[in-house]
Amino acid sequence: MSSAQTAFFVLVTLAVALTVCFASLAYFRRVTLPRPAVGVLNGNDMVIMMGFVVVLPVLYLALPGWLLPPVLGLTLAGGLSVGYGPVVRRTGVRWSVIAAVLAADWLTARSAQDDPTHATPYWLVNSLVIMLMAVGAANLNAQGGLKLRHVSRFALALAVYDLFFATVIPLTQKLFDAVQGYAFAPSAGLRIGGYGAVVGMGDLLVYALFTTVAYKAYGRAGLIWALALVTVFGALAPTLTPVTVQALTGHLPQIVPAQIFFGPAAFCGYLVLRRRGPERRMADLRPPAPPVPVPTPQQPAEPATDDEPRERSRRHHSPTGG
């Protein structure tokens, strides 16, 4: 890998990682999602999410090539509709925009397959779709109640998962090779000629989720810590490690999972931040609006009995003293 290729790899990865973090933060500060029907999200939901992380790659690899794009497209369409419902409230307009974006992704992917020199539009459109998906999913979880301790443990579990499936069972590399070039590939980045940089959607989701929840939990301090960790351990360490290994051993690794660096760093960052005290909740940032008082219906007057007029008549005609 030449120095120019290394610089391209580092800068594009850094730009994509930080862009999704800032976009997720902007979404969090401006858009309020409805509370999930299942209640506040917690560590059990992280276990379920980890189950999807384990199962989905195997499912993708088992699907025939012609079926993979429709499955990915339907998954993205559903996720975008849920994540951006509060942004585009009119259902028809929202689905029209989603259909237009996904159609552009599919058309540019076909064009790139026919002529690889025209792959740049595909990477730009597909990266936009994947980053929007990561931002929406991150906010669904962050505003749904996930705490930083849940996210940091999830990132640490992903580090173990990525290390195992990159070194012991090469599932990560197989999945990367299987989905590249297809429409709706779950990755963002850019390829221009011999220059390329790709970041997986799972990595982008973890970066956006950790940054957003750190800001929710600890404000400005949490945000600074999260952005620093994403920059150093999410972008710089994974992109500079291959060239470092190549310089030392003469062998260029095919793939270096980013989570083996970011997962432990995110967990350590949480241990540092929790010394500041308990995490803030969504209710602390956005107190619920006071309930609107409901007027109580007035009880109808009871009809007078036959004895009541007589009582009023006695009081009226009673003699006064003196």
Side-chain angles (χ1 to χ4, degrees):
M1 184 181 293
S2 66
S3 58
Q5 290 174 321
T6 301
F8 184 90
F9 186 28
V10 172
L11 293 177
V12 172
T13 301
L14 181 62
V16 171
L18 290 181
T19 297
V20 79
C21 291
F22 282 113
S24 182
L25 179 64
Y27 186 110
F28 179 82
R29 297 178 67 175
R30 299 189 180 192
V31 180
T32 300
L33 291 168
R35 297 191 66 174
V38 296
V40 178
L41 302 180
N42 53 36
N44 294 330
D45 299 284
M46 288 284 90
V47 174
I48 297 174
M49 187 181 297
M50 193 66 202
F52 279 108
V53 170
V54 173
V55 172
L56 286 180
V58 179
L59 176 62
Y60 289 156
L61 290 174
L63 292 175
W66 62 269
L67 188 57
L68 186 58
V71 171
L72 293 172
L74 290 174
T75 302
L76 291 173
L80 292 173
S81 178
V82 173
Y84 293 91
V87 179
V88 185
R89 296 185 179 275
R90 297 181 62 180
T91 304
V93 175
R94 182 170 69 253
W95 277 107
S96 298
V97 173
I98 292 173
V101 173
L102 295 182
D105 195 329
W106 185 79
L107 292 173
T108 53
R110 291 292 301 271
S111 176
Q113 289 177 350
D114 297 337
D115 186 359
T117 61
H118 294 163
T120 300
Y122 159 72
W123 281 105
L124 293 176
V125 174
N126 193 76
S127 297
L128 174 63
V129 172
I130 297 304
M131 293 169 74
L132 287 173
M133 183 71 174
V135 168
N139 274 272
L140 284 171
N141 287 279
Q143 297 192 32
L146 280 184
K147 295 183 178 297
L148 192 59
R149 70 171 183 269
H150 302 140
V151 180
S152 62
R153 292 169 183 171
F154 177 63
L156 193 60
L158 277 180
V160 177
Y161 168 86
D162 280 353
L163 182 62
F164 179 80
F165 284 105
T167 58
V168 180
I169 301 177
L171 180 66
T172 303
Q173 184 65 45
K174 289 181 179 179
L175 178 64
F176 180 82
D177 295 336
V179 300
Q180 291 308 305
Y182 281 103
F184 322 123
S187 57
L190 185 62
R191 289 189 183 275
I192 303 176
Y195 300 90
V198 180
V199 185
M201 183 172 67
D203 294 330
L204 294 177
L205 172 60
V206 173
Y207 300 156
L209 183 58
F210 185 82
T211 301
T212 307
V213 176
Y215 172 75
K216 179 187 75 172
Y218 297 105
R220 182 180 176 85
L223 176 62
I224 293 174
W225 266 96
L227 292 176
L229 293 175
V230 170
T231 299
V232 176
F233 298 99
L236 296 181
T239 53
L240 294 177
T241 296
V243 294
T244 303
V245 172
Q246 183 183 30
L248 295 176
T249 66
H251 171 69
L252 181 65
Q254 287 186 330
I255 188 169
V256 177
Q259 292 307 311
I260 65 175
F261 299 99
F262 184 76
F267 186 75
C268 292
Y270 159 69
L271 295 179
V272 173
L273 285 171
R274 75 174 183 177
R275 296 179 180 178
R276 294 178 171 269
E279 300 183 33
R280 298 186 302 181
R281 303 170 302 165
M282 282 299 299
D284 299 326
L285 275 69
R286 300 172 189 172
V292 179
V294 179
T296 57
Q298 294 182 353
Q299 297 293 334
E302 296 182 359
T305 62
D306 294 340
D307 294 336
E308 287 180 351
R310 296 193 188 99
E311 292 294 330
R312 286 195 293 267
S313 177
R314 291 192 192 100
R315 288 194 297 269
H316 181 72
H317 295 287
S318 62
T320 58

